[in-house]
Each structure stands twice: as C-alpha cells, then as structure tokens.
Amino acid sequence: MNALVAFEERLQQELGSVVLGLQPVIRALAIAVVARGHVLLQGAPGLGKTLLSKSLAASLRGVFKRVQGTSDLMPADITGVHAYDAEKRQFIFRPGPVFADVLLVDEINRAGPKTQSALLEAMEERQVTVDRQNYELPENFLVVATQNPREFEGTFPLPESQLDRFMLRVDLSYPTREDELGIIARYGNTDAHARVERKEQLPPLDLAAVRQAVEQVHIAPELSGYVIDLAAASRSHAHVSLGLSTRGVLALVRAARIAAGMRGGDFVTPDDVKQVAPLVIPHRLMLAPEALLEGVTEQTITQQLLDRTPVPR
C-alpha cells in the first residue's frame, strides 16, 4: 500500500476513535504533518480542538504542549528563559512549551502582537532565539492554533504575515445529529474528565518514509501553471486588496501533491488542487473594504477563483 494512503488511514483510525465526525479535518492535519506545515483551526469553543490536537500528538508518539492565549502572555512564556541555578552557579536555559512536537496555541488572537511575533521565528525557522542564543526545535514541530471567528472583544487579529505562515486553515462547524449522539454515548458520563480507554497502540509511524513518498508524486508544468494562474487571479480580483503570496503558491502545490498521494495517485490532477484550495487560499486573502460591505467572504472568492480560472487539459 502507498505510504501516504496508509498514513492517512492510520490517522483516521486513531484520531477517529477519539473525535467523531471530523474526517475532513483529520485529512487536513495529515497533509500538514507530511508537509511540516502549521494549522489554524477556526471555530466556536467546545468543538474538540484541544482533544484533536492532543490525540494527534499521541498518534505521532510526540510531546504535546498547550499555551492559552491571553493579553498578558509574554514571549518568554512560550520560548523559555535563562534562570540562575544556585548549585551550578550559572544561568541554565529552561525551555518553554514551544519545545514540543505538537504545540497547541489556544485562542491565539487573544495574545498580544509581541507574543504572536515570537511564534514567527519558531514557525518559519524551526528554532527560537533567547538571549542571542539559537535553540533548535523538534524535527516534527507542528503548531496548531485556534481562534473563534465570531468573538472580537479583547482580541488582536493576526497580521497577514502571521496568517501566511499557517499552511492550512480549517473551519470547524457543529457536528451532525448522528455524530453528536455518538459523542454523548462516548463522553456523556458524569465525570467530565474521565479518560476513555484506548485500544493497544500501533507501532510508531515512519514519517521519513511517508515524506519520501511525496517525492514520487509528479506535478506537470501545466498544473504548476494552473496554480500560478489561480494566484494571479486572486491578486487582480476586484474584492481582494492582497492576494495569494508565493509562499501560498508553494503551500498549494505541496498540499495538492500530498492529497494526490493520499488518494493513491502518482500525479496531481486539477481536482487535487481544487480539493485543497479551500484550506490554503481563504486565510491568505485580504479583502477590500467594499467586499466586507457587500458581505463577500474569503470562501466565496476562493470558489470564484476556481470557477473562473481555466483548467489545463
């Protein structure tokens, strides 16, 4: 079986046993893990974002850390500090929660701009600088940040440069009636913090082999041109003041190659690009004022780009 197909099936099996009705979200997380990208989960509170992130770390056999975004959260609270050790008579670096395989930054838009910017180096360079010293982050370092799109009081909207560093944005909606019934059956006991017994864990995942499999997925020059045409269309769209960046173009190509591999394909098709575009493009679009007045959303514009851009034959 294709390594990418097996990897997604494994994540769907392990995470799907903990969180119900989130198959598309798990697929997006699988793409991000393979691509070493970061994910922004957007949705109302109480939809299982924390449980999902913690379960992802468990499936990857990695270290999970959580940071709660607040207005008084400081950069050192994330990166770590040098503290004086009286026994050794020297300053010792105390790593912060950023030194994890999966870092959940809950309500990232409640953290101040200075603290948000502390994540930029970590997300892009996979290292942090503390007191002019560089510290490497774990090889599979992944940021999963959450925000509530409907609550703006006491928040600091993420700037475009920060949003662009999230490879994917996943919009969570409320579960279906059937899924919510299943959630009640599984987690509706009187003890809200009771641990659900999990089956015996499977052997560790070989992420190196999974990432190597992506290299075997071919993307034709015509498909690369299609992605560039989508980006160009976004930059000239009447309702967009800032379109898809070159980083966004690369994210779209990488996500499409991984999606093609996860369906068992050897090459990328336009449908693969269209499948991942709603995850990659919307959060990178800065809307013009008239778009907001007319009620046009990033998702609407993304669909317009896909409908209007000629598909290569």
Side-chain angles (χ1 to χ4, degrees):
M1 183 186 293
N2 183 308
L4 284 161
V5 175
F7 174 69
E8 192 206 350
E9 287 185 357
R10 170 80 171 270
L11 275 192
Q12 292 284 2
Q13 176 186 347
E14 292 205 358
L15 300 188
S17 66
V18 180
V19 290
L20 305 181
L22 295 181
Q23 289 85 355
V25 180
I26 296 172
R27 182 179 178 82
L29 287 176
I31 292 174
V33 169
V34 176
R36 298 175 190 264
H38 306 289
V39 182
L40 181 62
L41 294 180
Q42 187 165 272
L47 296 181
K49 297 185 287 290
T50 301
L51 180 60
L52 181 66
S53 304
K54 189 180 295 185
S55 302
L56 175 64
S59 295
L60 299 175
R61 310 297 184 266
V63 176
F64 172 78
K65 296 289 180 66
R66 180 181 181 276
V67 173
Q68 178 64 47
T70 59
S71 59
D72 60 351
L73 185 71
M74 299 301 293
D77 297 330
I78 296 176
T79 59
V81 296
H82 282 97
Y84 186 74
D85 190 314
E87 291 185 4
K88 297 182 179 179
R89 296 186 178 182
Q90 62 181 1
F91 283 91
I92 304 295
F93 179 62
R94 308 292 185 189
V98 75
F99 290 86
D101 295 287
V102 177
L103 172 67
L104 173 65
V105 185
D106 209 2
E107 295 186 296
I108 187 173
N109 55 338
R110 291 197 176 280
K114 188 174 182 179
T115 303
Q116 290 178 9
S117 66
L119 284 169
L120 284 176
E121 180 187 14
M123 294 171 65
E124 189 69 18
E125 306 295 335
R126 296 186 174 273
Q127 68 173 25
V128 294
T129 303
V130 180
D131 295 337
R132 292 176 290 183
Q133 294 186 38
N134 296 334
Y135 298 92
E136 297 292 328
L137 295 175
E139 181 182 2
N140 296 318
F141 173 68
L142 170 70
V143 172
V144 178
T146 74
Q147 65 176 4
N148 180 357
R150 296 174 182 81
E151 192 171 334
F152 300 105
E153 185 176 349
T155 63
F156 303 88
L158 296 177
E160 291 73 32
S161 59
Q162 182 93 1
L163 286 170
D164 202 26
R165 282 168 170 80
F166 285 99
M167 180 183 183
L168 310 176
R169 189 189 77 187
V170 183
D171 297 327
L172 273 71
S173 58
Y174 289 105
T176 63
R177 186 176 189 276
E178 291 73 18
D179 289 330
E180 209 151 20
L181 284 171
I183 292 170
I184 292 174
R186 182 168 300 181
Y187 298 104
N189 49 47
T190 55
D191 183 358
H193 298 281
R195 294 183 180 273
V196 177
E197 292 187 8
R198 301 189 63 178
K199 298 178 181 178
E200 184 179 351
Q201 289 188 334
L202 299 171
L205 292 159
D206 186 358
L207 285 177
V210 175
R211 289 171 179 144
Q212 185 64 35
V214 183
E215 304 301 321
Q216 311 305 317
V217 180
H218 176 69
I219 180 167
E222 293 81 6
L223 260 295
S224 297
Y226 175 57
V227 172
I228 293 174
D229 291 342
L230 284 171
S234 74
R235 296 162 188 165
S236 60
H237 196 285
H239 285 140
V240 177
S241 60
L242 187 64
L244 197 63
S245 67
T246 302
R247 184 188 285 115
V249 169
L250 290 171
L252 188 54
V253 169
R254 290 167 183 155
R257 291 181 70 184
I258 295 169
M262 286 182 175
R263 65 169 172 80
D266 297 323
F267 55 88
V268 179
T269 68
D271 286 340
D272 295 318
V273 177
K274 292 181 178 181
Q275 180 189 0
V276 298
L279 300 172
V280 177
I281 296 179
H283 67 286
R284 290 182 160 90
L285 302 179
M286 185 176 177
L287 301 188
E290 54 268 25
L292 302 176
L293 292 174
E294 295 174 19
V296 178
T297 65
E298 301 100 325
Q299 291 86 349
T300 303
I301 294 174
T302 299
Q303 191 58 52
Q304 290 176 356
L305 296 175
L306 295 173
D307 292 339
R308 298 173 183 176
T309 306
V311 177
R313 300 296 178 188

